[in-house]
Structure formats: structure tokens, C-alpha cells
């Protein structure tokens, strides 16, 4: 099963309407996205909690790394550059942090609030190589903007 992003966006919009708490929003998005697609093995947020530091936020799947500096890994690269990271083979990514040995590919999107501040990154791991497409990245970016840029 692959995500129907139109339906997913509507479901998330409905579930998060009126909510302003970032952690509650992150928990809802992580849950809904995780269960929308069989490719998604780990789905969650790392929150920007201090200069150059991400800490784990709400997620679905096995355990994640508790903290990630902006200087390391795919999540760190997304936070540091403000750019989506679409990684077909994590073993080929310089400085990849293996939070789970099963991860083969990864998609990480920076998450901004309405004021334009980075509040974290949204990380999706897959146990399949080359699991993600540019279309996945674009559709998820729309959902994240819809949820987090209204606060």
C-alpha cells in the first residue's frame, strides 16, 4: 500500500484543526503518515531544542536516536541546510547515523513554524532501498506546511 496523499492531507487537516501544541501535532502527523504507507518503517520528528541540536520527538516504529547534532547524519543535514534530504542508500551518505540497522533509505524534511523558525525535522526511514520519490517529498512538504505554518 502506498500513501494516497490527497486523502492523507485531508485526514491530517481534520484531526489537527484548531490544535496549536506542536508536540500534539507531531504525534498526530507521525501516526497518520506512518500507517499510510507500507514503505514507511520508522516515521517521526526530531525537535530543534537547542542551537545545533535535535532531540527525538513523537514517532512510530522502533527506537530512534535520542539526540542528533546538526553536524551529523541525514537529519542533521536537513536541519543544518534547511533542505529536504532524499537518500536512496543511507550507507552511501557521509556521516549517516544508523539509529536502526534495518534502515536502507531515508527521507527527511525540515519543519518550519508560521514565523519561519525551524522547529525540527520529519524523518521517514524505510527498510527498502530507494523507497522514496521526489513526489513523496513534495506531498509531505505540503502536509507539513499545512499543519505547522498556521501556528
Amino acid at each position: 500500500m502506498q500513501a494516497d496523499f490527497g486523502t492523507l492531507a485531508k485526514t491530517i487537516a481534520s484531526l489537527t484543526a484548531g490544535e496549536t501544541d506542536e508536540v500534539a501535532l507531531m504525534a498526530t502527523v507521525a501516526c497518520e503518515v506512518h500507517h499510510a504507507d507500507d514503505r514507511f518503517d520508522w516515521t517521526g520528528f526530531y525537535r530543534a531544542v537547542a542551537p545545533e541540536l535535535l532531540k527525538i520527538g513523537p514517532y512510530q516504529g522502533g527506537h530512534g536516536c535520542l539526540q542528533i547534532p546538526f553536524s551529523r547524519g541525514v537529519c542533521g543535514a536537513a536541519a543544518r541546510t534547511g533542505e529536504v534530504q532524499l537518500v536512496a542508500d543511507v550507507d552511501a551518505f557521509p556521516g549517516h547515523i544508523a539509529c536502526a540497522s534495518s534502515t536502507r533509505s531515508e527521507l527527511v524534511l525540515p519543519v518550519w513554524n508560521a514565523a519561519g523558525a525551524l522547529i525540527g525535522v520529519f524523518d521517514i526511514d524505510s527498510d527498502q532501498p530507494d523507497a522514496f520519490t521526489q513526489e513523496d517529498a513534495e506531498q509531505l512538504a505540503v502536509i507539513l506546511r499545512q499543519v505547522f505554518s498556521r501556528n
Side-chain angles (χ1 to χ4, degrees):
M1 157 186 76
Q2 287 205 350
D4 171 346
F5 287 111
T7 300
L8 183 60
K10 287 177 187 164
T11 300
I12 290 172
S14 174
L15 291 170
T16 61
E19 182 56 63
T20 59
D21 181 83
E22 287 177 353
V23 174
L25 293 169
M26 288 176 180
T28 302
V29 170
C31 180
E32 290 300 316
V33 171
H34 184 75
H35 293 288
D37 198 306
D38 293 337
R39 297 172 294 163
F40 303 168
D41 192 48
W42 191 96
T43 310
F45 289 87
Y46 283 93
R47 298 172 301 116
V49 297
E52 306 291 311
L53 182 65
L54 298 168
K55 284 202 176 187
I56 196 155
Y59 68 91
Q60 299 276 311
H63 69 83
C65 295
L66 295 182
Q67 54 184 330
I68 298 174
F70 282 24
S71 61
R72 296 200 49 223
V74 182
C75 290
R80 184 175 66 253
T81 65
E83 296 173 0
V84 171
Q85 303 293 309
L86 181 59
V87 181
D89 177 4
V90 294
D91 293 330
F93 189 90
H96 174 253
I97 302 169
C99 295
S101 60
S102 61
T103 301
R104 295 289 167 254
S105 58
E106 194 165 356
L107 173 60
V108 183
L109 298 97
V111 182
W112 314 92
N113 66 15
L118 180 75
I119 59 170
V121 299
F122 186 48
D123 180 19
I124 305 175
D125 297 350
S126 181
D127 55 7
Q128 304 167 29
D130 200 14
F132 305 107
T133 66
Q134 187 61 40
E135 175 74 7
D136 294 329
E138 291 167 7
Q139 294 294 326
L140 288 164
V142 168
I143 290 170
L144 292 170
R145 276 194 305 274
Q146 184 181 52
V147 172
F148 294 98
S149 67
R150 64 181 182 223
N151 293 335

